[in-house]
Amino acid sequence: MMKKIIAAVFLFIPLTITAQVNTVRMDWVDSVMNTMSINEKIGQLFFVELRSGDPSSVDEIEDWVKSHQIGGIFFNGKDAVEQLKLTRQLQRRAAVPLLIGMNMLPGLGSLDSVMQYPEPIMLGAIQHDSLLALLGYELARAAKTMGVNTALMPLGETMMSDKLNTASFSDRPEVVSKKSAVILNAMQQEGVLIFAKNFPVRGLTVTDLQKGMPAIQVTLDSAESKPYQQLFDDGLNGLIASATDFPVFYSNASLTKKSTFSPNSLSALFTGQWVKQKMNYNGLIATDIRSIEKQTKKYREGDAEALAFQAGNDLLMFSEDPGAAIKKIKKLIRNNNLYEQQLNNSVKKILEAKYDAGQQAQPYLTTDNLLAKLNPPTAKVLNQQLEQSAITVIKNAGQPLPLSSIDNKQFVCLLPDSSILANSFYNALTNYVAVKKIIVHHQTDPVDVLNELADDAVVVMAVFASTAAQSRHEFQQIIQPLQGSHQVIIADFGNNDLWKKADNLNTIITAYKASPGTVQAMAEIIFGALPAQGRLPIAFSQSMPSGTGLTTPAIGRLRYAIPESAG
């Protein structure tokens, strides 16, 4: 009996704490809403962009913050110190704390001198999701250091065509779901709101038109939408529907004549409301006003924003004239009381999100040692671990990798140019053996190269994303006759044209991109100082589908780690 009582007490405590937190949260939301006028509530719907390097943009947005109480600001600049100063300045002007947003992945937007991590396509090759959780925590920490509380991210995107999309983790929805959820949960735990971009719509049917507003039925690819449903279930904070060009159908001919909407504007405006109703999504729905305005010249200032509000969107992103839009939305509310209820619901959700991001207690922001704080030793070590863990041995015919026997052999490195990264790769190889370097270009005679090779030569050929087709052709002329008689290793650094021809190669290893870290790690995996653990995030061919990859061991050779990894 006593055990049951104790168990009941321990179950009751967290429930009580959760209830108390929710009460405090709602008290703050209600207290803010009770002080706001209709105009100020409408202002909270606007999430505007501060144009980098444009002083007039700063003055304009500062005016909007003071006069319209806009809800958020999106930054896309390059100077971290300047951005943080502006964030402090604008937050001080705001009667209600602002959402401060940036694009994230592979890093904090386009800020200079701030760590850029591997792109999602490379993260999709990593098998240890614990590293992705660490990435989520680190991105959130850096964001909060910058006063950023809202991340716009390509979570949920599945690569569904042959066109390479480096913003996607994989062409397998289950992989996208898993990795998106890991990063989402890590960043939300640290108090950063996550908005997923580019919700995919494959088709749309207009079933009715009432006072010019369409009722729609959306067509989705069930596999492609699965990662988004997982994000919705995990509490995704915001969703931005993409403006997509796709087939639009009408349930009867008369609707075709009445509708004035393009496919792009239909998807941008009305998908969000459909997602709320049909996919049980309870987060914020945002729409990019620019994508609507581009579709037609008939809209006057404020029209697109008013239409987006009518369509049920909570956040109106990248508006260039909130003042005109506020007037038109206010007119809608005066003419229809239902719109006032809609406004209150949206503002309540926005304020709840701000509370969840810790904005009810403004964080202390300082530029002191800012770049050092944004690039701590732990971030550099994490970036190295991510790059190393992604490198994938795709084929290893005859199992030459790792190169265990290196005595009394000739080693040759074929490079497409003498760029810094190409030479860095060559130098990394020379940490283990003496290597002959040969630059192959359009004037290179393959016969001359072949004549320089000993019978026991081990040939390592490096191909980069920038390697020209002509150079690849010369490589092919050299490699083809060697594959049956020599150990030939293709070291790829992100040339997706080569990926399509990988079936014809015996041994190929890919790092997905060239960086100081990947060229070093590639050499270490070839010689067995590091294991290879990655798996292809996307299919290279029918015989090399997504998930292909071979694990090769470390065999005890010396590694060349960055100083920060020493602790």
Side-chain angles (χ1 to χ4, degrees):
M1 182 65 179
M2 182 59 70
K3 289 182 179 179
K4 291 182 179 180
I5 293 173
I6 293 172
V9 169
F10 278 106
L11 180 63
F12 177 75
I13 290 173
L15 292 175
T16 302
I17 293 172
T18 301
Q20 290 174 343
V21 170
N22 286 335
T23 299
V24 173
R25 178 177 183 250
M26 293 314 304
D27 285 347
W28 182 81
V29 170
D30 291 340
S31 68
V32 174
M33 284 194 69
N34 290 338
T35 66
M36 299 173 78
S37 66
I38 288 290
N39 280 24
E40 291 166 345
K41 288 179 182 178
I42 298 172
Q44 286 296 300
L45 308 180
F46 290 86
F47 202 128
V48 301
E49 181 177 17
L50 193 150
R51 297 186 297 276
S52 175
D54 183 354
S56 66
S57 178
V58 177
D59 294 339
E60 185 177 54
I61 288 178
E62 188 167 12
D63 177 62
W64 293 345
V65 169
K66 291 188 293 186
S67 59
H68 301 313
Q69 287 198 23
I70 58 172
I73 299 169
F74 177 85
F75 282 90
N76 67 353
K78 295 182 178 298
D79 188 324
V81 172
E82 181 63 22
Q83 178 175 316
L84 185 53
K85 288 179 179 177
L86 288 172
T87 297
R88 287 191 312 200
Q89 175 182 331
L90 294 167
Q91 287 285 25
R92 282 197 295 264
R93 300 288 188 273
V96 178
L98 295 161
L99 294 177
I100 302 294
M102 293 184 73
N103 284 318
M104 290 193 202
L105 281 186
L108 294 188
S110 54
L111 290 177
D112 286 337
S113 304
V114 176
M115 182 68 67
Q116 293 291 301
Y117 296 97
E119 292 185 309
I121 193 71
M122 189 171 174
L123 298 175
I126 296 171
Q127 298 305 292
H128 303 294
D129 287 339
S130 58
L131 284 175
L132 269 69
L134 291 175
L135 173 60
Y137 293 133
E138 179 54 35
L139 284 172
R141 186 203 62 79
K144 296 183 80 171
T145 300
M146 287 294 299
V148 173
N149 50 51
T150 306
L152 279 61
M153 306 183 78
L155 301 185
E157 293 187 35
T158 303
M159 202 176 93
M160 300 295 285
S161 70
D162 293 335
K163 185 177 180 181
L164 181 65
N165 176 13
T166 59
S168 171
F169 290 115
S170 177
D171 59 9
R172 291 183 291 164
E174 65 273 17
V175 173
V176 175
S177 292
K178 188 176 181 183
K179 295 187 182 299
S180 295
V182 169
I183 291 179
L184 171 78
N185 292 330
M187 295 188 71
Q188 284 184 329
Q189 285 178 31
E190 297 301 307
V192 175
L193 307 175
I194 308 298
F195 279 56
K197 303 187 289 185
N198 304 324
F199 181 79
V201 175
R202 290 298 175 186
L204 190 147
T205 301
V206 177
T207 58
D208 195 12
L209 277 169
Q210 294 291 334
K211 296 182 179 179
M213 298 295 286
I216 64 167
Q217 177 64 41
V218 171
T219 301
L220 304 177
D221 181 297
S222 58
E224 191 178 18
S225 62
K226 182 179 177 182
Y228 287 92
Q229 185 64 69
Q230 181 66 55
L231 289 171
F232 298 162
D233 294 344
D234 287 346
L236 178 71
N237 303 105
L239 178 70
I240 306 172
S242 60
T244 311
D245 197 8
F246 50 68
V248 175
F249 303 96
Y250 295 86
S251 59
N252 61 68
S254 64
L255 294 175
T256 307
K257 298 175 183 178
K258 294 178 183 178
S259 178
T260 59
F261 296 101
S262 67
N264 300 72
S265 57
L266 279 169
S267 61
L269 283 167
F270 300 102
T271 299
Q273 190 65 15
W274 183 90
V275 168
K276 285 182 185 178
Q277 295 170 353
K278 302 297 184 180
M279 298 183 72
N280 298 318
Y281 176 57
N282 297 315
L284 291 163
I285 295 292
T287 191
D288 186 342
I289 296 301
R290 297 170 303 187
S291 66
I292 302 166
E293 291 175 333
K294 287 177 183 176
Q295 302 308 312
T296 178
K297 296 180 180 179
K298 74 172 186 175
Y299 289 134
R300 291 174 293 180
E301 292 178 345
D303 283 350
E305 292 91 334
L307 185 59
F309 173 73
Q310 281 183 280
N313 294 282
D314 301 303
L315 280 173
L316 313 178
M317 303 192 72
F318 311 129
S319 170
E320 295 183 352
D321 193 349
I326 288 171
K327 291 178 182 177
K328 293 189 175 182
I329 293 172
K330 187 175 182 181
K331 184 177 179 180
L332 286 173
I333 292 170
R334 281 201 306 262
N335 293 335
N336 188 334
N337 290 335
L338 291 177
Y339 285 130
E340 183 171 7
Q341 183 59 49
Q342 177 187 321
L343 174 66
N344 286 333
N345 290 340
S346 291
V347 174
K348 181 179 179 182
K349 287 167 65 176
I350 292 167
L351 293 176
E352 287 172 351
K354 290 183 176 185
Y355 185 93
D356 293 340
Q359 294 306 289
Q360 77 285 0
Q362 277 292 301
Y364 175 71
L365 302 175
T366 176
T367 57
D368 294 346
N369 302 313
L370 179 60
L371 291 182
K373 292 175 184 175
L374 293 174
N375 299 288
T378 51
K380 296 175 184 178
V381 172
L382 174 60
N383 190 52
Q384 182 187 57
Q385 292 173 330
L386 292 167
E387 291 184 334
Q388 292 172 349
S389 298
I391 295 177
T392 306
V393 174
I394 306 168
K395 295 178 72 176
N396 193 22
Q399 298 186 324
L401 297 177
L403 294 173
S404 55
S405 176
I406 59 176
D407 294 333
N408 303 316
K409 289 184 178 180
Q410 181 193 40
F411 288 84
V412 178
C413 179
L414 304 181
L415 298 175
D417 54 50
S418 56
S419 65
I420 292 174
L421 285 174
N423 279 321
S424 294
F425 177 58
Y426 165 75
N427 291 332
L429 295 174
T430 64
N431 288 328
Y432 299 98
V433 292
V435 182
K436 181 180 181 63
K437 177 168 63 174
I438 300 177
I439 306 295
V440 177
H441 48 74
H442 67 281
Q443 294 181 332
T444 301
D445 187 338
V447 175
D448 291 341
V449 175
L450 293 171
N451 287 337
E452 292 189 48
L453 303 181
D455 291 341
D456 64 350
V458 177
V459 180
V460 180
M461 183 183 85
V463 182
F464 296 83
S466 59
T467 301
Q470 184 61 43
S471 295
R472 295 198 308 273
H473 175 74
E474 300 301 332
F475 276 146
Q476 189 68 23
Q477 297 303 305
I478 297 168
I479 294 303
Q480 259 184 338
L482 292 176
Q483 288 207 108
S485 57
H486 291 69
Q487 287 184 347
V488 180
I489 299 164
I490 311 301
D492 166 63
F493 293 97
N495 190 298
N496 57 319
D497 287 328
L498 176 70
W499 298 352
K500 300 169 186 176
K501 301 179 177 67
D503 279 330
N504 301 320
L505 304 170
N506 288 341
T507 304
I508 179 169
I509 177 172
T510 182
Y512 304 97
K513 72 169 186 177
S515 71
T518 58
V519 296
Q520 180 67 45
M522 177 75 82
E524 293 180 4
I525 287 173
I526 288 172
F527 283 99
L530 279 175
Q533 301 171 318
R535 297 293 183 266
L536 290 182
I538 59 173
F540 277 16
S541 68
Q542 285 190 341
S543 64
M544 287 181 284
S546 176
T548 297
L550 301 168
T551 299
T552 61
I555 56 175
R557 288 205 174 103
L558 187 65
R559 283 185 54 206
Y560 292 81
I562 59 175
E564 289 83 356
S565 65

